Amino acid sequence: MIEFHGVSKRFADGTLAVDDFSLLIPSRKTTVLVGSSGCGKTTLLRMINRMVDPTSGYVDIDGDGIAAMPPVSLRRSIGYVMQNSGLLPHRKVIDNVATVPLLTGVPKKEAHARALELLDTVGLDRSLADRYPSQLSGGQQQRVGVARGLAVNPNILLMDEPFGAVDPIVRADLQHELIRLQRDLDKTVVFVTHDIDEAFLLGDQVVILQVGAHIEQQGAPSDILANPANEFVADFVGSARGKRRLMVDETADSRGDDLVLIDGAGYPAGVVDAPGGVLPGAGSSPKSRSISNKTDQAGDA
Amino acid sequence: MQWLWENRDLVFGLSLEHVRLSVIPIIGGFIACIPLGWLANRFRMTRAIQLTIFGILFTIPSLALFVTLPSVLGTKILNPINVVVALTIYAIAIMVRGAADAFASVPRDVIESANAVGFSSASRFWTVEFPLAGPVLLANLRVVSVTTVSLLSVGALVGNGALGYLFINGYQRDFPTEIMIGIVFTLVIAVVFDQILVLIGRILMPWARRPRRSPRALMVRGAA
Ligand SMILES: Nc1ncnc2c1ncn2[C@@H]1O[C@H](COP(=O)(O)OP(=O)(O)O)[C@@H](O)[C@H]1O
Ligand SMILES: [Mg+2]
C-alpha cells in the first residue's frame, strides 16, 4: 500500500508540478494515473522511489515514511519501467535484465539464470539474450524493460507510459501481456499514461488528473464511465462526445451472424459477441471484454 | 633508401623516442580530460572557464611554450619533460571541449533510468556515463593523437623533437631525402597510433558498431 499525504512539489524554477495531492494506492492492484501531458504524472511516480522528493507532504509505503529510506536502496527494491525502455545501450539484453541483481552483488551466474527465466516471463525468446538493445524492435525493448523491472521480484512496479512509443498493434500486445502478467504476479502496479483507453483497460483503480495533479475523479473504470464526476471527466473519457455510448446498428444488413455496434457519431465500434445476435443482457459492465472496442480489436490482430 | 639503410639505427632510435615522447601526452591528456569534461558538462560555469583557459593556452605558439616552460618548471632547456608537458597542455586544450561534448552525448533518459533502478552516482559514472561517452571521447582522442605525433617534431628546435631532428638536420645539410624519411616515419607512427585507437575502441565498445536491422520476426507473441 502506497499513500500520498498532502504532497506538493515545486521545482527550483518555480513550477508547481504537484499541488496538495493525497491518494491511497492499494496493494496488489493496478492503479493508473491518467491525464494530459504536463499534469504531473511523472513527478508523482518519481516521488514513490525518491527520484523526486516532495516540497511538502509525505509518502508512505506500507505505513513507513519513505523520506527516511536511503534513495538508492529504495529504488533497487522497486521496479521502474519507462518510455523508450531506458535500457543501457552498451549492455547486452541479459545484462540489462540483470542490472539490479548485479548491482546488489548477486553472482553473475545466478543473475543471468534468473534473467533468462524473466525473458520467458515477458514472452521473449532466449536467443535475444546476447543482443544489444539497439538490435531489438521497440516492442521487444519494452519487454526487456519490463523484465528488468521484475528482476528483483519487487512488490511495487512503477510504469511511466511504458507503451507510449510503440505502434498500436504492438502496444495492444504489450497491454494484454501486462494483464496476464499481473494475474500471475500480483504486484502493486502504478501505471502512468495519457491514454484513457489504456487506463480503462489496465486499471483496477483509475485516477484522472488535471494540471498540478489535481484529482478530478478516482474509482473503478466502470464507476467513472457510468458516473463521470464532472464535465471535464465526461469529456476526457469520451462519453460526452458519445464515443462510449454504443448501440446496435439497425441499418446494417445482417449478412453475417454478428450485430455491428456503432458509437454516438455513427462510426462502427465493434460487434456483439453473441451467437444469433442476442445481447447478453443488462449484466455486462463497460469493462466486459465481450464487447470488443477498438483497443481490443487491435489486441486480437 | 641507401641513406636510410646506413642510418637505420639513428632512424629507429628516433622513431622509438618519438613514440615514447608522444604516448605520454596522449594518455595524460586523455586522463586529465575525463574529470575536466565531466565537470564542464555538469557545471556550465566550469565549462566556460575551462574553455577560456585552454583556449588561451592553445594560442601560445608551441615554440614559445617550449622555451618558456623550463623557467616555469625549473627544468633545463634540453630536458624532454618540457616538450612532454607542453604537448600535454595542447592535448588537453584540443580535447577539453570534446570531452564535455562526450559526456553531454550520453542520453538523458539512460541516465535517468540508471538513477531509477538504483545506481549510486559513482557506479553510474564508471559503468554508464563513462562508457557511453566513449565513442565521442575516442573520436577526440584520435585527433589529439595525430596532432601530438606531428607537433612533437617542433620540439627538435629545442633539442627534443625525436624524428623532428631529421627535418632540422636535413634542412641544414640541404638533404631532402632525410626530410622525406622524417615525414614518412612520422606519418607511419601517426597512422599506427590511430589504428591502435580504433582497435581498442572496437574491443571495448562492441555495442557502438552499427546496429543490425531489428529482427522483428523473432519476437514471440504473448502466449495468453
Ligand atoms: N525537473 C524539473 N524542473 C522543472 N520543472 C519540471 C521538472 N520536471 C517536470 N517539470 C514540470 O512539472 C510539470 C509536470 O511534469 P511531469 O510530472 O513530467 O508531467 P507529466 O508526466 O504528466 O507529463 C510540467 O509543467 C513540467 O514542465
Ligand atoms: Mg511524463
Side-chain angles (χ1 to χ4, degrees):
Chain A
M1 183 177 62
I2 305 166
E3 288 169 283
F4 285 82
H5 296 279
V7 170
S8 297
K9 176 64 191 182
R10 189 182 289 283
F11 284 107
D13 65 355
T15 315
L16 186 59
V18 172
D19 181 20
D20 193 20
F21 178 88
S22 296
L23 179 71
L24 197 155
I25 296 174
S27 296
R28 301 175 190 287
K29 294 263 187 288
T30 301
T31 295
V32 179
L33 308 175
V34 58
S36 327
S37 171
C39 72
K41 307 181 293 294
T42 298
T43 307
L44 285 176
L45 204 64
R46 290 182 172 185
M47 288 199 277
I48 299 173
N49 72 352
R50 294 203 63 193
M51 285 172 78
V52 174
D53 281 325
T55 320
S56 61
Y58 58 98
V59 180
D60 286 345
I61 295 179
D62 295 332
D64 297 325
I66 62 167
M69 303 179 188
V72 167
S73 56
L74 178 69
R75 289 172 202 161
R76 287 177 184 177
S77 71
I78 295 177
Y80 196 99
V81 186
M82 58 198 271
Q83 194 173 351
N84 300 321
S85 76
L87 298 176
L88 303 176
H90 60 304
R91 295 218 178 142
K92 292 179 176 172
V93 164
I94 191 163
D95 291 312
N96 262 290
V97 174
T99 301
V100 185
L102 291 174
L103 268 180
T104 53
V106 173
K108 196 163 182 167
K109 226 175 161 176
E110 200 180 316
H112 277 187
R114 165 106 178 105
L116 285 175
E117 286 171 20
L118 281 163
L119 289 184
D120 301 340
T121 307
V122 299
L124 283 173
D125 198 285
R126 289 186 176 207
S127 66
L128 299 180
D130 283 333
R131 298 264 173 94
Y132 289 102
S134 63
Q135 299 170 327
L136 302 182
S137 71
Q140 289 170 329
Q141 289 182 22
Q142 288 308 128
R143 284 172 193 260
V144 177
V146 174
R148 179 175 73 172
L150 295 171
V152 290
N153 198 14
N155 293 324
I156 298 172
L157 191 58
L158 308 178
M159 308 186 85
D160 193 351
E161 311 211 19
F163 312 141
V166 294
D167 67 70
I169 291 179
V170 175
R171 185 184 312 145
D173 252 3
L174 292 167
Q175 288 166 343
H176 286 274
E177 192 91 6
L178 182 63
I179 292 170
R180 181 186 66 79
L181 267 178
Q182 173 64 347
R183 248 197 326 257
D184 299 346
L185 299 175
D186 243 5
K187 306 284 180 199
T188 304
V189 177
V190 189
F191 192 104
V192 158
T193 180
H194 59 256
D195 176 354
I196 188 69
D197 290 321
E198 185 169 64
F200 281 168
L201 179 67
L202 300 176
D204 298 305
Q205 170 178 238
V206 171
V207 183
I208 298 180
L209 301 170
Q210 272 254 51
V211 181
H214 287 286
I215 297 180
E216 290 297 324
Q217 188 169 5
Q218 69 185 90
S222 52
D223 296 340
I224 294 176
L225 209 45
N227 305 300
N230 55 40
E231 200 120 313
F232 173 82
V233 174
D235 196 42
F236 193 72
V237 305
S239 54
R241 295 192 304 273
K243 184 182 153 206
R244 302 254 173 211
R245 269 178 208 288
L246 306 182
M247 57 207 111
V248 174
D249 185 1
E250 307 283 5
T251 62
D253 200 21
S254 53
R255 260 164 303 214
D257 282 342
D258 283 337
L259 276 183
V260 175
L261 290 174
I262 53 173
D263 65 15
Y267 290 107
V271 294
V272 177
D273 183 18
V278 182
L279 277 169
S284 64
S285 75
K287 201 179 174 176
S288 160
R289 307 247 160 79
S290 63
I291 296 182
S292 330
N293 62 23
K294 282 166 187 158
T295 318
D296 281 355
Q297 267 181 357
D300 298 336
Chain B
M1 278 304 128
Q2 173 89 32
W3 183 87
L4 176 59
W5 182 246
E6 281 162 6
N7 294 277
R8 59 186 184 278
D9 285 345
L10 172 72
V11 174
F12 184 70
L14 289 175
S15 295
L16 269 189
E17 175 87 346
H18 209 100
V19 169
R20 205 166 55 84
L21 287 183
S22 43
V23 158
I24 304 167
I26 294 170
I27 294 177
F30 178 69
I31 291 173
C33 275
I34 293 168
L36 287 174
W38 180 82
L39 276 174
N41 180 46
R42 186 74 187 265
F43 308 102
R44 231 157 248 242
M45 271 302 282
T46 358
R47 180 186 166 95
I49 294 169
Q50 280 178 22
L51 291 182
T52 313
I53 292 175
F54 286 100
I56 292 171
L57 283 175
F58 196 55
T59 58
I60 302 174
S62 46
L63 190 54
L65 200 54
F66 290 153
V67 296
T68 47
L69 268 177
S71 55
V72 178
L73 299 173
T75 44
K76 296 235 166 64
I77 183 103
L78 286 179
N79 192 329
I81 296 272
N82 301 321
V83 175
V84 169
V85 170
L87 289 177
T88 306
I89 291 174
Y90 285 127
I92 297 173
I94 295 168
M95 199 160 170
V96 75
R97 183 191 296 268
D101 293 345
F103 287 106
S105 77
V106 181
R108 185 72 228 154
D109 56 346
V110 172
I111 294 180
E112 296 219 321
S113 104
N115 286 337
V117 300
F119 277 84
S120 63
S121 334
S123 61
R124 192 192 69 204
F125 178 78
W126 288 113
T127 61
V128 179
E129 291 178 77
F130 180 54
L132 289 180
V136 180
L137 284 173
L138 178 66
N140 281 280
L141 188 60
R142 290 176 64 187
V143 175
V144 167
S145 162
V146 170
T147 314
T148 304
V149 169
S150 65
L151 210 53
L152 173 59
S153 307
V154 182
L157 293 170
V158 291
N160 273 298
L163 286 168
Y165 167 82
L166 300 181
F167 301 157
I168 295 187
N169 195 255
Y171 174 74
Q172 282 166 352
R173 292 167 51 201
D174 197 13
F175 182 50
T177 312
E178 190 176 357
I179 298 177
M180 277 309 295
I181 299 275
I183 292 176
V184 169
F185 274 76
T186 311
L187 264 175
V188 168
I189 290 174
V191 170
V192 168
F193 275 21
D194 195 53
Q195 288 307 303
I196 289 174
L197 289 176
V198 170
L199 190 69
I200 292 175
R202 287 246 177 88
I203 293 168
L204 294 183
M205 302 183 286
W207 48 273
R209 270 176 263 168
R210 285 177 64 80
R212 270 182 280 164
R213 118 206 100 72
S214 57
R216 215 168 248 275
L218 272 171
M219 177 155 173
V220 177
R221 285 283 156 81

